[in-house]
Amino acid sequence: MIANDTFWSPVKLSLEVASFSLFIVLIVGIVAAKFMANKTFKGKSIIETILLLPLVLPPSVVGFLLIVIFGTRSFLGQVIEQLFSQSIIFSWWAAVISAVVVAFPLMYQSAKTGFETIDRDIEDASRVDGANEFRVFTLITLPLASNAIITGAILSFARALGEFGATLMFAGNIPGKTQTIPTAIYVAMDSGNMKLAWSWVFVILFISFSMLILMNVIKRRY
């Protein structure tokens, strides 16, 4: 059973979706966190609430909102359908978008915390020495916040890997196309195939456990 494509397909797809979503979340999360860190402006609390909202919303609500935003009746959905001749719903990209939305708050909050703990005098000193903003950010800010960023990245990857509700509603459960480990476990349990369900559970437990061990090792080193 474990050697066949039926078993490994959801595992492979989950890792692909989680990895690609992490790439997006890492870039967008760091940029958003850097922009919001140590800033005070009107409406900041509202923007931060919106950015962190997927963290507390039920997954079914997130999935519903994604369908509304990207559905064929929405403007964005119609534009996507005209450009690519197909709807984004029930596609691999729908699984990625679902993972990005639920994982983003973890990356954003962790990176923002890291940026806010940096001594701004260190950054100012590098500016006095002639470094431009890009060099200050890449050579000073990012290394100093690297521990928080790595922690956020690991937590985001684990969250994307375990995403279920929004993915099931928005991407569906199409074997070989959108069926991830969590949805595969749900289907296996629903059909009474507990042996198969347990096999997937052990796989995702192993991956998640390994990610947490890695995070603890990194924390100790830094």
Side-chain angles (χ1 to χ4, degrees):
M1 176 192 66
I2 296 183
N4 61 35
D5 293 338
T6 302
F7 178 82
W8 288 111
S9 178
V11 178
K12 179 175 177 289
L13 183 64
S14 292
L15 292 174
E16 289 175 350
V17 169
S19 299
F20 196 82
S21 64
L22 175 61
F23 174 75
I24 298 174
V25 164
L26 197 61
I27 296 174
V28 179
I30 289 175
V31 171
K34 177 58 180 173
F35 177 78
M36 298 291 286
N38 299 312
K39 297 286 197 315
T40 303
F41 56 88
K42 188 176 181 181
K44 178 183 177 180
S45 59
I46 296 176
I47 295 175
E48 284 211 306
T49 300
I50 294 173
L51 294 177
L52 296 175
L53 201 56
L55 196 62
V56 296
L57 281 177
S60 57
V61 175
V62 176
F64 173 80
L65 293 175
L66 289 175
I67 291 174
V68 171
I69 294 171
F70 293 97
T72 54
R73 295 184 179 181
S74 70
F75 173 77
L76 183 57
Q78 291 175 358
V79 170
I80 292 174
E81 192 166 3
Q82 289 179 358
L83 289 175
F84 301 100
S85 300
Q86 64 177 12
S87 173
I88 199 170
I89 300 178
F90 302 133
S91 67
W92 184 85
W93 285 104
V96 171
I97 292 172
S98 300
V100 167
V101 170
V102 298
F104 172 81
L106 294 172
M107 184 70 246
Y108 166 77
Q109 189 63 33
S110 184
K112 179 171 171 284
T113 300
F115 291 145
E116 288 179 340
T117 57
I118 296 174
D119 187 348
R120 302 188 71 177
D121 290 339
I122 299 176
E123 295 176 316
D124 292 337
S126 63
R127 293 186 181 97
V128 171
D129 290 337
N132 56 34
E133 289 301 319
F134 179 77
R135 290 178 64 85
V136 171
F137 180 68
T138 56
L139 300 179
I140 304 297
T141 307
L142 281 181
L144 290 176
S146 59
N147 191 17
I149 292 172
I150 293 172
T151 299
I154 293 174
L155 291 175
S156 297
F157 182 87
R159 180 66 184 88
L161 188 70
E163 164 51 31
F164 171 70
T167 301
L168 184 62
M169 289 188 65
F170 187 46
N173 181 45
I174 306 172
K177 186 177 180 181
T178 64
Q179 187 182 65
T180 57
I181 297 177
T183 55
I185 292 172
Y186 173 79
V187 171
M189 282 192 61
D190 191 54
S191 62
N193 194 342
M194 295 302 296
K195 185 177 180 181
L196 184 59
W198 269 113
S199 298
W200 277 318
V201 167
F202 285 135
V203 170
I204 201 166
L205 278 173
F206 173 76
I207 297 173
S208 301
F209 184 81
S210 300
M211 298 299 291
L212 291 176
I213 289 292
L214 177 62
M215 183 176 70
N216 289 329
V217 169
I218 292 172
K219 281 185 176 181
R220 286 177 189 152
R221 290 187 62 182
Y222 292 91

